[in-house]
Amino acid sequence: MEKFELHILGCGSALPTTRHFPTSQVLNVRDKLYMIDCGEGAQLQFRKSRLKFSRLNHIFISHLHGDHCFGLLGLISTLNLLGRTAELHIYSPVGLEQLLQPMLDFFNHQMTYKVIFHEFETKDSLLIYEDRSITVTTIPLRHRMPCCGFIFAEKPRPSHIVREMIDFYQVPLYELNRIKNGADYVTPDGEVIPNSRLTRPSDLPRRYAYCSDTCYLPHLVSQLKGVDLLFHEATFVNADASRAKETFHTTAGQAAQLARDAEVKSLLIGHFSARYEDESCLLEEARSVFPHTRLAQETLCVQVGETFFQA
């Protein structure tokens, strides 16, 4: 299976603690790195996770609260000190370029590379990025300011060639791409060899969904239906639901309810409030609703597509 793994750099909420870094993640898709949010200290956690700066070309910011974007200036500056030449693309709700560009102009007079901002509205789901491997689509969320999540979806892969059958029928090399993409093979004698005999299906494409700061939104079920891995903020427990509602956040129980209703494969919860010195209460609450739940933690790496089981 091709690499599709999630690295947690930080999973705390706004108030700093000694237990957690602010929100930041990196998705590794076939050795191309995509950063999701960039709280303070993200670049230090990036190094601790043994990730390569040279493979990072795209950063996705969910909203413009500081605990999700204060790490950007330091990261951009470090890449400049390293002599980076490749463009860095940053995708965010409207306003980030206006906030960040004056600081870049002040602290980085001689940039060795270009920072390119791609800003979007958060009210509707939009396709904001696409390459040969994945698409990235926004998930409209509801927070105290414009905010969205993201779905990273693998593109379907061509079928796998069955080498033994290719050799048996002496299929020419120039026919292989056609066969991978579903074509039958016609021998020089006119015999039609069905594609199903020459190939086996590729692995099913996987999807990772990231739901940043938001109040509980049951209607997200349709967009999240069947994703392989859902990260959903779980800032509070149900006992603090009034505080969650007041601050436009979600409880662990609500995040689990969404995961269960959407029939996702696994749930990862994070963005923990500093009031909980032990997050086991959040995990227990979520698992009582959706057993395939795991707590996010710094330097955790999980494979998108694996199912979480209770220890």
Side-chain angles (χ1 to χ4, degrees), residues 115-139:
V115 178
I116 300 174
F117 294 91
H118 306 266
E119 297 189 332
F120 51 82
E121 297 293 340
T122 60
K123 292 182 180 180
D124 299 305
S125 179
L126 301 170
L127 175 67
I128 59 171
Y129 175 76
E130 182 174 14
D131 61 24
R132 289 184 299 176
S133 301
I134 65 166
T135 60
V136 182
T137 307
T138 61
I139 306 170

Side-chain angles (χ1 to χ4, degrees), residues 201-275:
S202 61
D203 298 318
L204 291 174
R206 294 160 289 181
R207 291 183 297 152
Y208 169 60
Y210 171 83
C211 287
S212 177
D213 301 20
T214 182
C215 58
Y216 175 47
L217 297 175
H219 69 263
L220 293 183
V221 164
S222 59
Q223 193 173 2
L224 299 176
K225 198 73 172 181
V227 300
D228 294 273
L229 175 62
L230 168 64
F231 173 89
H232 200 291
E233 72 118 295
T235 310
F236 299 101
V237 293
N238 283 339
D240 294 318
S242 59
R243 180 61 178 161
K245 183 177 181 180
E246 177 186 351
T247 56
F248 289 82
H249 282 297
T250 305
T251 68
Q254 290 169 337
Q257 182 68 49
L258 186 62
R260 186 176 70 181
D261 293 346
E263 299 176 328
V264 309
K265 194 167 186 177
S266 292
L267 170 66
L268 191 64
I269 56 173
H271 199 267
F272 308 123
S273 170
R275 68 177 58 194

